[in-house]
Amino acid sequence: STLSPDTFEALAAHLENAEIEGRDVEKITNEYPDLNWADAYEIQRQIRRRKEARGQRIVGLKAGLTSRAKMTQMGVSSPIFGFLADYFGVPHGGSIKVSQSIHPKIEPEIASPANPLPFTNPIRQGFTFENVGFRYPGAERWAVRHLDFTLRAGEVLALVGENGAGKTTLVKLLARLYDPDEGRILLDGHDLRDYDLHALRGNIGVIFQDFVRYHLTAGENIAVGRIDARDDRRRIASAAHRSLADEVIRKLPNGYDQIIGKRFKGGVDLSGGEWQKIAIARAYMRDAQLLILDEPTAALDARAEFEVFQRFKELSEGNTAILISHRFSSVRMADRIVVLADGQVEAIGPHGE
């Protein structure tokens, strides 16, 4: 570090105690002409830890502090630094640990424990939510809270609720894209955080409603569901057959080798429904123990959505699965339905109830 320990701590304390806008942070850092970008990130990290420990929020700090830091060694303008700070500084997405070199080491905050449990195969009991609560970083409103229910092994469970009810958040907690702020999630009696993270995510296949439309070949679009099997043409074809995407691909001039999307010359664009079948094939490509469809059929009418979900249930036989929709009629084939409202379970039971 270019700062003495006393100066470093003084600046950190100065910034930590100042509830100020980014431009004021800029003025403060101007008092320290020798401040380099590594110091800035380290100070930012320490301040965030102190404030989070006290349940406080950081106001206007990231962009202001990093834009003043002397990062010009990289030859990039300060607005880009602010973007990088926002990207690297998301508390639940990743943290920066700075070495004495000018290159930061990015380490995710959600990681496997030192001695992880092997992922259970097959799942025997299921996933249990015990008083689970979570709110997104910087938000005052709880996204979900007091969640208490079990997703049983081999069960097809439907999540129903209005937009903002917490359906997608619940799925992100299952996949450990986030960890609960309250309570815990158990898999076969063990905390989800005790398992190997890579193995956990490798056994979950999720298709979100805002799935990505890759401007690649049709086969590659499916293969991203299991990238290490991207050369397994038989597996790709099987996944396409299960999602009915094979019907779409048969119509393409070059079949699985056809570039889809209009970004590149010779690309063939697909309809919304055709793209959805390609995206759903990614979940089947994963061959996961837990399959989740998070409203990828939202653009379809109720009848078409029901048909997709019905086929999904049939093909998920023996696997644990979650269907997410805002329509009760589309998920009536599920073993049980969980109704979410304002982030809490309002009702749970089979469709007949």
Side-chain angles (χ1 to χ4, degrees):
S1 169
T2 59
L3 302 179
S4 69
D6 290 343
T7 302
F8 189 97
E9 284 298 322
L11 177 56
H14 195 167
L15 292 171
E16 180 181 11
N17 294 326
E19 289 297 335
I20 50 182
E21 299 295 329
R23 60 179 180 276
D24 295 322
V25 174
E26 185 103 359
K27 292 177 183 177
I28 292 173
T29 57
N30 279 332
E31 299 172 16
Y32 299 85
D34 293 328
L35 180 68
N36 63 37
W37 77 278
D39 290 326
Y41 269 127
E42 179 63 19
I43 292 170
Q44 176 183 326
R45 188 168 65 91
Q46 289 195 18
I47 293 171
R48 182 182 297 112
R49 285 182 172 178
R50 295 174 185 178
K51 283 184 169 279
E52 287 182 342
R54 296 196 297 267
Q56 297 176 327
R57 293 176 61 190
I58 300 173
V59 179
L61 177 63
K62 289 183 287 190
L65 182 55
T66 52
S67 66
R68 171 61 188 92
K70 292 186 178 296
M71 301 165 84
T72 51
Q73 298 105 317
M74 297 173 67
V76 189
S77 61
S78 61
I80 300 299
F81 304 148
F83 167 78
L84 291 173
D86 285 338
Y87 180 79
F88 291 135
V90 178
H92 284 262
S95 62
I96 291 292
K97 292 186 178 180
V98 181
S99 65
Q100 294 301 317
S101 69
I102 66 170
H103 299 291
K105 180 181 179 181
I106 306 169
E107 294 186 358
E109 290 190 356
I110 295 181
S112 297
N115 298 298
L117 294 174
F119 193 84
T120 178
N121 188 3
I123 297 173
R124 293 178 175 83
Q125 301 172 26
F127 297 83
T128 300
F129 286 71
E130 291 186 346
N131 195 35
V132 170
F134 172 77
R135 54 185 170 191
Y136 289 96
E140 296 181 3
R141 176 180 173 272
W142 289 88
V144 293
R145 203 171 194 194
H146 305 309
L147 295 182
D148 278 296
F149 68 93
T150 295
L151 168 60
R152 303 163 187 157
E155 176 182 43
V156 175
L157 186 74
L159 300 179
V160 178
E162 298 295 330
N163 291 336
K167 304 186 298 296
T168 297
T169 298
L170 189 153
V171 169
K172 291 179 179 178
L173 292 171
L174 268 177
R176 282 205 71 201
L177 299 180
Y178 296 96
D179 282 333
D181 293 317
E182 293 180 344
R184 60 180 184 163
I185 303 173
L186 305 179
L187 169 58
D188 285 357
H190 297 281
D191 195 307
L192 215 53
R193 290 167 283 204
D194 293 337
Y195 288 95
D196 180 81
L197 183 62
H198 180 73
L200 169 68
R201 292 178 177 169
N203 276 277
I204 299 177
V206 186
I207 297 299
F208 291 106
Q209 57 182 304
D210 53 349
F211 58 83
V212 178
R213 304 183 182 198
Y214 296 102
H215 293 260
L216 304 170
T217 68
E220 289 167 339
N221 258 278
I222 296 172
V224 296
R226 193 79 178 193
I227 199 67
D228 56 354
R230 61 188 179 278
D231 295 325
D232 190 339
R233 296 299 290 259
R234 180 176 296 180
R235 185 168 181 163
I236 293 171
S238 175
H241 175 70
R242 296 170 75 183
S243 73
L244 303 180
D246 58 341
E247 299 174 357
V248 176
I249 295 170
R250 275 198 296 269
K251 300 175 183 176
L252 299 175
N254 297 311
Y256 287 91
D257 297 319
Q258 175 66 52
I259 295 286
I260 53 178
K262 299 295 288 184
R263 179 166 298 171
F264 299 109
K265 184 178 180 180
V268 175
D269 205 7
L270 304 179
S271 68
E274 290 171 333
W275 271 111
Q276 285 164 335
K277 291 176 181 178
I278 295 288
I280 293 171
R282 296 170 192 163
Y284 293 126
M285 181 73 185
R286 207 164 185 78
D287 196 23
Q289 291 198 69
L290 173 60
L291 295 173
I292 303 171
L293 291 188
D294 183 5
E295 293 196 270
T297 56
L300 303 180
D301 60 35
R303 180 179 179 82
E305 183 182 59
F306 172 78
E307 291 173 351
V308 170
F309 282 162
Q310 181 67 44
R311 182 172 177 81
F312 178 77
K313 184 180 187 301
E314 293 169 357
L315 292 172
S316 301
E317 191 70 33
N319 287 335
T320 308
I322 295 178
L323 305 174
I324 299 180
S325 179
H326 61 276
R327 301 179 178 126
F328 275 100
S329 60
S330 297
V331 295
R332 59 183 180 271
M333 81 295 293
D335 298 317
R336 287 188 303 154
I337 298 174
V338 174
V339 181
L340 292 174
D342 297 322
Q344 300 189 43
V345 175
E346 189 173 73
I348 183 168
H351 185 268
E353 296 181 3

